[in-house]
Short mmCIF file of all heavy atoms in Angstrom, two decimals:
data_model
loop_
_atom_site.label_atom_id
_atom_site.label_comp_id
_atom_site.label_asym_id
_atom_site.label_seq_id
_atom_site.Cartn_x
_atom_site.Cartn_y
_atom_site.Cartn_z
N ARG A 144 120.72 13.43 67.34
CA ARG A 144 121.34 14.12 66.20
C ARG A 144 121.55 13.18 65.04
O ARG A 144 121.66 12.01 65.22
CB ARG A 144 122.75 14.61 66.70
CG ARG A 144 122.78 15.56 67.92
CD ARG A 144 122.03 16.86 67.76
NE ARG A 144 122.54 17.64 66.67
CZ ARG A 144 122.04 18.84 66.34
NH1 ARG A 144 121.05 19.37 67.08
NH2 ARG A 144 122.48 19.51 65.28
N PRO A 145 121.60 13.79 63.85
CA PRO A 145 121.84 12.93 62.67
C PRO A 145 123.19 12.26 62.72
O PRO A 145 124.17 12.83 63.23
CB PRO A 145 121.71 13.90 61.44
CG PRO A 145 121.90 15.25 62.03
CD PRO A 145 121.50 15.21 63.53
N PRO A 146 123.33 11.08 62.08
CA PRO A 146 124.59 10.35 62.09
C PRO A 146 125.58 11.07 61.11
O PRO A 146 125.16 11.64 60.09
CB PRO A 146 124.23 8.97 61.55
CG PRO A 146 122.96 9.17 60.81
CD PRO A 146 122.25 10.31 61.42
N GLY A 147 126.89 11.01 61.44
CA GLY A 147 127.92 11.49 60.55
C GLY A 147 127.64 12.96 60.18
O GLY A 147 127.45 13.80 61.06
N ARG A 148 127.72 13.25 58.91
CA ARG A 148 127.58 14.64 58.38
C ARG A 148 126.26 14.91 57.83
O ARG A 148 126.09 15.91 57.02
CB ARG A 148 128.65 14.93 57.44
CG ARG A 148 130.08 14.87 58.07
CD ARG A 148 131.09 15.29 57.04
NE ARG A 148 132.44 15.29 57.67
CZ ARG A 148 133.54 15.64 57.00
NH1 ARG A 148 133.48 15.95 55.73
NH2 ARG A 148 134.69 15.61 57.66
N GLN A 149 125.27 14.07 58.05
CA GLN A 149 123.93 14.25 57.48
C GLN A 149 123.35 15.56 57.89
O GLN A 149 123.42 15.97 59.08
CB GLN A 149 122.96 13.11 57.89
CG GLN A 149 121.65 13.22 57.14
CD GLN A 149 120.69 12.08 57.51
OE1 GLN A 149 120.92 11.29 58.41
NE2 GLN A 149 119.53 12.03 56.85
N ASP A 150 122.79 16.26 56.98
CA ASP A 150 122.11 17.55 57.19
C ASP A 150 120.94 17.35 58.17
O ASP A 150 120.10 16.50 57.88
CB ASP A 150 121.67 18.15 55.88
CG ASP A 150 121.02 19.51 56.00
OD1 ASP A 150 120.83 20.00 57.16
OD2 ASP A 150 120.69 20.14 54.98
N PRO A 151 120.89 18.13 59.24
CA PRO A 151 119.75 18.00 60.19
C PRO A 151 118.38 18.14 59.47
O PRO A 151 117.43 17.46 59.80
CB PRO A 151 119.90 19.11 61.19
CG PRO A 151 121.39 19.33 61.20
CD PRO A 151 121.87 19.09 59.78
N PHE A 154 117.65 14.87 57.91
CA PHE A 154 117.46 13.88 58.98
C PHE A 154 116.01 13.98 59.56
O PHE A 154 115.32 12.94 59.63
CB PHE A 154 118.44 14.14 60.12
CG PHE A 154 118.32 13.22 61.27
CD1 PHE A 154 118.66 11.84 61.15
CD2 PHE A 154 117.89 13.65 62.53
CE1 PHE A 154 118.54 10.97 62.22
CE2 PHE A 154 117.83 12.79 63.62
CZ PHE A 154 118.14 11.47 63.43
#
Side-chain angles (χ1 to χ4, degrees):
R144 302 297 303 181
R148 296 184 177 179
Q149 185 179 7
D150 182 354
F154 180 69

